[in-house]
Amino acid sequence: NAGVMQNPRHLVRRRGQEARLRCSPMKGHSHVYWYRQLPEEGLKFMVYLQKENIIDESGMPKERFSAEFPKEGPSILRIQQVVRGDSAAYFCASSPLGQGYGYTFGSGTRLTVV
Amino acid sequence: EDQVTQSPEALRLQEGESSSLNCSYTVSGLRGLFWYRQDPGKGPEFLFTLYSAGEEKEKERLKATLTKKESFLHITAPKPEDSATYLCAVQAQETSGSRLTFGEGTQLTVNP
């Protein structure tokens, strides 16, 4: 029973490039969440998705960031025109139901912008 | 705005020396309080969910308790393998989905 799979584990991008982070939820899980962990800071909520729907994107920066969870395939977090401040660990989590349940987190993607 | 404050920021214990980690929270109607463990370079690992004041849950050397304002994670006779960062998070009843608000964690080191 594979857990939440994130790839790549490490990603290096130059300023101005695009970063694409992928997340495959656990089998049977239809709810996906993205969190960001900046150096020396706690986990911050970014976006909550179900298949083909964005449910809550209140934590997502208004510009350059977007997320999707298509009917087929993994969830994608896309960061356009990356800047140094985007360097962080990005974690995806999934759950079988929404409210009141603990998530299962992936191992994260560590993005470094040079 | 929901807030979670964890203390201490860091804690060093000798193997076998029991202690407690604190999580104070402010939330507009608590749906659930969650404890996670995070090892360096890894994602958080789910430990417990507590739903109402007075509730307690145990797992091996860990015991989590909940009051109306705070939660404690008690560690009894810790071992070096318990070394990790322990994260507390709350979920509010009013959130549209399942958003968790995390504290910044307590970094626990257990020396042999």
Side-chain angles (χ1 to χ4, degrees):
Chain A
N1 182 19
V4 177
M5 305 301 292
Q6 289 190 249
N7 64 82
R9 289 295 307 276
H10 300 275
L11 182 62
V12 179
R13 284 288 178 264
R14 295 185 184 279
R15 282 178 293 172
Q17 290 186 320
E18 178 179 289
R20 280 184 179 241
L21 288 61
R22 295 174 184 77
C23 168
S24 295
M26 285 186 69
K27 187 176 181 181
H29 287 195
S30 58
H31 299 248
V32 167
Y33 317 85
W34 287 93
Y35 284 76
R36 177 166 66 175
Q37 190 170 40
L38 292 165
E40 308 303 325
E41 291 189 19
L43 284 157
K44 303 293 184 189
F45 169 80
M46 299 182 74
V47 63
Y48 163 39
L49 310 106
Q50 294 180 28
K51 287 282 188 183
E52 301 183 279
N53 283 305
I54 296 175
I55 307 302
D56 181 357
E57 57 182 348
S58 59
M60 193 99 91
K62 292 287 187 283
E63 299 179 353
R64 302 187 298 108
F65 286 73
S66 62
E68 63 176 8
F69 188 15
K71 187 177 181 181
E72 301 290 339
S75 175
I76 306 287
L77 179 67
R78 181 183 178 201
I79 311 172
Q80 295 178 292
Q81 299 176 317
V82 295
V83 300
R84 289 232 171 101
D86 296 332
S87 295
Y90 291 82
F91 290 98
C92 170
S94 72
S95 71
L97 296 170
Q99 303 160 354
Y101 288 85
Y103 308 156
T104 300
F105 279 87
S107 295
T109 293
R110 277 141 190 89
L111 172 66
T112 302
V113 179
V114 297
Chain B
E1 184 178 329
D2 304 334
Q3 286 193 322
V4 178
T5 303
Q6 292 188 246
S7 62
E9 290 184 13
L11 181 62
R12 284 187 176 274
L13 299 173
Q14 289 298 123
E15 185 172 2
E17 179 187 1
S18 302
S19 188
S20 295
L21 312 182
N22 177 262
C23 170
S24 298
Y25 64 90
T26 304
V27 65
S28 52
L30 180 71
R31 176 175 287 131
L33 185 140
F34 301 81
W35 282 98
Y36 285 84
R37 168 192 170 127
Q38 187 174 23
D39 293 293
K42 296 189 176 182
E45 175 188 344
F46 173 74
L47 293 173
F48 304 109
T49 308
L50 301 167
Y51 294 103
S52 57
E55 189 175 0
E56 299 182 353
K57 288 194 176 172
E58 287 189 67
K59 180 181 179 180
E60 296 181 356
R61 295 177 292 283
L62 300 177
K63 179 180 177 180
T65 61
L66 181 65
T67 72
K68 288 186 178 180
K69 294 184 178 180
E70 56 192 349
S71 176
F72 293 92
L73 185 65
H74 307 278
I75 304 177
T76 302
K79 298 182 178 182
E81 53 261 44
D82 294 323
S83 298
T85 296
Y86 290 85
L87 302 172
C88 172
V90 296
Q91 186 181 70
Q93 289 179 347
E94 295 177 0
T95 55
S96 58
S98 314
R99 181 171 74 245
L100 295 184
T101 300
F102 280 87
E104 296 195 5
T106 293
Q107 186 174 359
L108 174 66
T109 304
V110 182
N111 296 314

